[in-house]
Amino acid sequence: MNLEFIKPDEIEARSFAIIEEKLKYKNIPENQKLILKRVIHTTADFDYIENLKFSEHAVEIALQALKNGASIITDTNMALSGIHKKSLHALGGKAYCFMADSDVAEQAKARGITRAMASMEKACDLKGDFIFAIGNAPTALYQLSELIDAKKINPKLIIAVPVGFVNVIESKNLIMQKKINYITAQGNKGGSSVAVAICNALLYQICRMA
């Protein structure tokens, strides 16, 4: 079998055309659809049509926060490396992951908590507005919930898409019950790549229209 040679940019265009065909009869706001398309493109999983959920005005609020220089905090260095930092920096924001920091490791060991929990606490020391992109650790979402209740942190948006089977659904539901802005993948699906796809879809809505 001879494979057709297709240029990389054409592959992406064809892929998005296939996804768009699946979505054309769905009643989805355009700014949410742009995020959904990138998540499906990343995962090749059309289940996200049903399980990617947005709080009211979450996208609009996140876009405005990024335009105003909000930064992004994530729970994996994999996600950190995937965020389109050139776009983020152009808007005045930065990307952070504290999971590999020695002080986070020390705090986690001393207190018997996860590094994800300790890294969320460390984020409280930063100034400015933030979006949290959680694609791996449910405990990060639990800790964010506690920090929000204690009024130690006030995220502009939480991207709540940890993947797995233990405490994943519960942690997502906990975030959805808060009076905060969220984008989440209901159920067990998600992951760092999904968190990155959502972050970049938000950034591209701003930077590619500028």
Side-chain angles (χ1 to χ4, degrees), residues 102-119:
S102 58
D103 57 336
V104 166
E106 290 168 5
Q107 278 287 320
K109 183 176 181 179
R111 295 166 54 197
I113 61 175
T114 67
R115 289 193 184 195
M117 296 171 77
S119 69

Side-chain angles (χ1 to χ4, degrees), residues 1 11 36 54 73 111 123 129 140 155 173 208:
M1 179 184 295
I11 292 172
L36 178 58
F54 301 77
I73 300 170
R111 295 166 54 197
D129 291 330
N173 288 341
R208 293 190 177 181

Side-chain angles (χ1 to χ4, degrees), residues 105-161:
E106 290 168 5
Q107 278 287 320
K109 183 176 181 179
R111 295 166 54 197
I113 61 175
T114 67
R115 289 193 184 195
M117 296 171 77
S119 69
M120 296 301 103
E121 291 183 352
K122 183 170 181 176
C124 294
D125 296 331
L126 298 175
K127 304 298 181 185
D129 291 330
F130 294 94
I131 289 171
F132 285 86
I134 309 302
N136 183 66
T139 56
L141 296 182
Y142 279 107
Q143 194 66 12
L144 281 175
S145 176
E146 294 289 324
L147 294 169
I148 291 165
D149 288 346
K151 301 188 185 303
K152 292 183 177 180
I153 203 162
N154 184 29
K156 288 295 183 180
L157 174 75
I158 295 179
I159 298 168
V161 292

Side-chain angles (χ1 to χ4, degrees), residues 12-80:
E12 182 176 65
R14 287 195 192 184
S15 296
F16 276 104
I18 291 168
I19 296 166
E20 181 64 39
E21 183 68 21
K22 291 279 190 179
L23 297 178
K24 68 179 182 180
Y25 298 118
K26 301 290 184 181
N27 184 23
I28 303 170
E30 186 60 26
N31 60 11
Q32 293 183 14
K33 186 186 285 187
L34 291 169
I35 294 170
L36 178 58
K37 286 197 292 187
R38 190 154 291 276
V39 169
I40 294 171
H41 180 259
T42 297
T43 62
D45 188 345
F46 285 97
D47 284 355
Y48 285 100
I49 294 173
E50 301 300 329
N51 67 24
L52 197 66
K53 301 297 181 183
F54 301 77
S55 63
E56 188 175 11
H57 305 307
V59 178
E60 294 89 341
I61 290 167
L63 291 173
Q64 190 58 54
L66 288 168
K67 289 177 183 178
N68 292 339
S71 293
I72 298 174
I73 300 170
T74 186
D75 65 330
T76 66
N77 281 299
M78 175 183 170
L80 179 67

Side-chain angles (χ1 to χ4, degrees), residues 135-189:
N136 183 66
T139 56
L141 296 182
Y142 279 107
Q143 194 66 12
L144 281 175
S145 176
E146 294 289 324
L147 294 169
I148 291 165
D149 288 346
K151 301 188 185 303
K152 292 183 177 180
I153 203 162
N154 184 29
K156 288 295 183 180
L157 174 75
I158 295 179
I159 298 168
V161 292
V163 62
F165 301 99
V166 179
N167 291 328
V168 166
I169 294 173
E170 294 84 354
S171 67
K172 292 173 181 178
N173 288 341
L174 185 62
I175 293 302
M176 293 176 69
Q177 292 165 8
K178 298 287 179 187
K179 292 182 178 180
I180 55 174
N181 305 303
Y182 64 79
I183 301 173
T184 190
Q186 289 185 306
N188 303 102
K189 293 182 179 181

